[in-house]
Amino acid sequence: MKKIDLEKLTTESRNQNTLDIDKVSTLEMVKKINSEDKKVAEAVEVELPKIAEAIDGIVKGMHKGGRLIYIGAGTSGRLGILDASECPPTYGVSEELVQGIIAGGQEAIFRAKEGAEDSRELAVEDLKAKSLNENDTVVGLAASGRTPYVIGGLEYANEVGALTVAVTCNAGSEVSKAAKISIAPVVGAEVVTGSTRLKSGTAQKLVLNMLSTGVMIKLGKVYGNLMVDVRATNAKLVERAKKIVCEATGVDREEAEQFLIETNFDVKLSIFMILSKLNKDEAKNILDNNNGYIAEALKSIN
């Protein structure tokens, strides 16, 4: 087995600010953790141009029928699955549009299967099972930047012609070199040496938040800063749907409810009907012709 030189990985280095974290008071302990966490947003800020580039590339592929597929192992893989699973209820997209794959399969979501991350071939099999194509984007998640499973997945995605993006916390890593776009917020040594579920995990979560949110905004899933394709699948979301319609249009709650009932709780269509003063069929046709962008649809009738 190839030797892994952990000494060269920033994520595996020893944090000089927390050498005594096991001896200080509980309050001092959490202050040290919080102090380190403050560095994460600044590290992500450095990578904003790359994050924006990735968002535009993902959207370009989606306009051709492509998907966003996260692939990772351990904490990184779980973060990808978390981000993917929250897109359908928040933005009304299909479960196919944003997907997460974790080394070791579904069981690894709940129970660590650390050995699975060492197989490049397993990643290829998992992506082949998704019928990966050139319109898709594969985002490889690896805090260390050296996970064989992720590298194998990115290399296969490159062969297929898909857009590849690396999200890691070690600059110049193998994962970065395997991707067309590298997003590498370097957050420094962890509070507990090598525990990359801490700052590295937070950094990856922030990046994934930006990627999926940015993509959904570019797909017309947001009007102003309102999520207008939210699915009203429970009591809380029904009330949220009413609130969104009220805030977007200025109507009262009762009128918002009437439009939502007419549209079978299609928030976006309800908003556009109210703002355009068109009937349901006319409003739907114009929205469809403008790819679901309320702002663009309004421009087309003014």
Side-chain angles (χ1 to χ4, degrees):
M1 183 178 291
K2 182 182 177 182
K3 181 183 176 182
I4 302 169
D5 190 355
L6 297 181
E7 297 298 323
K8 293 181 180 179
L9 301 178
T10 304
T11 51
E12 296 290 335
S13 60
R14 201 162 181 202
N15 194 321
Q16 298 302 304
N17 298 322
T18 60
L19 294 175
D20 61 347
I21 199 166
D22 62 327
K23 301 179 182 69
V24 299
S25 70
T26 305
L27 178 58
E28 185 61 27
M29 177 184 69
V30 294
K31 282 183 176 179
K32 285 177 179 286
I33 295 172
N34 181 244
S35 179
E36 291 298 313
D37 284 343
K38 290 175 183 176
K39 301 173 183 178
V40 176
E42 291 181 352
V44 172
E45 183 179 11
V46 175
E47 300 300 298
L48 292 181
K50 293 293 187 181
I51 295 170
E53 182 184 355
I55 289 169
D56 288 339
I58 295 165
V59 172
K60 184 178 179 181
M62 285 184 173
H63 281 314
K64 298 176 183 176
R67 302 161 294 175
L68 169 56
I69 300 174
Y70 296 127
I71 186 167
T75 298
S76 298
R78 294 182 193 102
L79 288 169
I81 288 171
L82 173 64
D83 196 76
S85 68
E86 291 177 342
C87 287
T90 307
Y91 297 108
V93 297
S94 76
E95 294 179 359
E96 298 295 313
L97 189 66
V98 184
Q99 302 181 38
I101 303 174
I102 187 170
Q106 187 170 356
E107 184 183 348
I109 300 171
F110 307 100
R111 186 177 291 109
K113 295 183 71 174
E114 302 299 347
E117 74 173 52
D118 292 329
S119 173
R120 295 188 182 212
E121 294 74 24
L122 182 59
V124 175
E125 292 174 14
D126 289 343
L127 288 172
K128 283 184 176 178
K130 297 289 185 183
S131 300
L132 190 73
N133 66 75
E134 69 276 6
N135 295 322
D136 294 327
T137 299
V138 174
V139 176
L141 307 167
S144 69
R146 54 144 303 274
T147 309
Y149 179 83
V150 176
I151 295 168
L154 290 171
E155 288 176 344
Y156 173 69
N158 285 329
E159 291 175 15
V160 171
L163 175 63
T164 50
V165 180
V167 180
T168 179
C169 293
N170 278 296
S173 67
E174 291 180 67
V175 163
S176 291
K177 293 171 185 174
K180 295 185 177 83
I181 301 171
S182 172
I183 300 169
V186 179
V187 296
E190 295 289 0
V191 168
V192 175
T193 307
S195 183
T196 52
R197 73 185 186 90
L198 300 175
K199 288 194 294 184
S200 296
T202 302
Q204 289 179 94
K205 181 67 167 71
L206 289 177
V207 172
L208 297 185
N209 284 350
M210 289 185 190
L211 288 178
S212 57
T213 302
V215 166
M216 294 303 155
I217 291 170
K218 292 282 187 176
L219 290 177
K221 304 294 181 181
V222 174
Y223 176 61
N225 61 357
L226 299 170
M227 47 177 137
V228 292
D229 273 321
V230 63
R231 291 179 182 173
T233 53
N234 61 33
K236 179 188 77 174
L237 293 177
V238 166
E239 290 307 311
R240 178 176 292 168
K242 295 174 186 176
K243 185 173 185 291
I244 289 171
V245 172
C246 291
E247 293 195 1
T249 64
V251 301
D252 60 29
R253 187 175 177 280
E254 288 71 25
E255 189 173 356
E257 186 172 14
Q258 290 173 7
F259 276 92
L260 284 166
I261 291 171
E262 183 180 353
T263 62
N264 195 25
F265 274 79
D266 185 324
V267 174
K268 179 185 286 181
L269 181 56
S270 298
I271 290 170
F272 187 59
M273 284 175 64
I274 295 167
L275 294 178
S276 67
K277 297 182 170 53
L278 298 172
N279 64 43
K280 185 170 74 173
D281 291 338
E282 290 173 332
K284 187 177 186 311
N285 286 336
I286 292 173
L287 265 180
D288 289 346
N289 290 337
N290 286 276
N291 298 314
Y293 288 80
I294 292 179
E296 293 300 315
L298 287 170
K299 284 182 187 176
S300 72
I301 62 174
N302 290 331

